Amino acid sequence: MKIYLYMDEDVMDKRLIATLRSNSVDVLTAREAKMIDQDDDKHLDYATEHNRVLASFNMGDFQNLHKQFLKAGKHHAGIILSAQQKYSIGEYARRMLRLVAAKSAEDMRDHIEFLSDWVE
């Protein structure tokens, strides 16, 4: 099963979303989901309820939430993290497209991927 993405507020760059969508990636933004100004755990809950892998620049908080979820016996659909402003929008999109092409929804369940690992 292919990955469906949920982009939190940090990652909602219009050019990035357009690039992913033009490459047949199913993307839902926090704005489209009416989830602006929600706590991080609410974003992860929303993404999970809708079988979407959450993408964010908020590395520390989502790494902690990942650990809390697993410790509590909760599951999530997956998390993709990257340091903010580390890559250009084009590089971010290329790495994201490589990851989405290589991983399935099942691969991502309860797992974190770091875009820094997705080089050519």
Side-chain angles (χ1 to χ4, degrees), residues 100-119:
V100 170
K103 296 282 185 176
S104 69
E106 292 80 15
D107 293 333
M108 289 301 299
R109 184 173 165 82
D110 295 329
H111 186 73
I112 293 179
E113 283 289 334
F114 297 93
L115 282 188
S116 58
D117 295 337
W118 290 89
V119 294

Side-chain angles (χ1 to χ4, degrees), residues 82-95:
S82 178
Q84 193 164 14
Q85 298 178 353
K86 183 172 183 169
Y87 308 114
S88 67
I89 294 300
E91 182 62 20
Y92 189 90
R94 282 188 293 279
R95 288 173 185 252

Side-chain angles (χ1 to χ4, degrees), residues 16-119:
L16 173 62
I17 302 304
T19 300
L20 294 173
R21 287 179 174 160
S22 71
N23 283 276
S24 301
V25 177
D26 186 309
V27 178
L28 178 67
T29 68
R31 181 176 324 290
E32 293 163 342
K34 299 183 180 11
M35 291 290 293
I36 299 298
D37 294 327
Q38 297 294 315
D39 293 335
D40 292 336
D41 62 328
K42 299 293 183 203
H43 284 288
L44 189 54
D45 285 339
Y46 181 90
T48 299
E49 288 169 20
H50 293 87
N51 296 314
R52 290 182 175 273
V53 174
L54 182 140
S56 181
F57 293 135
N58 192 346
M59 293 180 70
D61 288 347
F62 281 108
Q63 287 180 67
N64 288 334
L65 274 174
H66 167 72
K67 291 174 190 172
Q68 290 172 18
F69 265 56
L70 297 183
K71 187 174 181 180
K74 292 174 68 175
H75 299 281
H76 61 76
I79 302 170
I80 299 171
L81 296 174
S82 178
Q84 193 164 14
Q85 298 178 353
K86 183 172 183 169
Y87 308 114
S88 67
I89 294 300
E91 182 62 20
Y92 189 90
R94 282 188 293 279
R95 288 173 185 252
M96 184 71 76
L97 289 168
R98 279 194 291 277
L99 189 158
V100 170
K103 296 282 185 176
S104 69
E106 292 80 15
D107 293 333
M108 289 301 299
R109 184 173 165 82
D110 295 329
H111 186 73
I112 293 179
E113 283 289 334
F114 297 93
L115 282 188
S116 58
D117 295 337
W118 290 89
V119 294

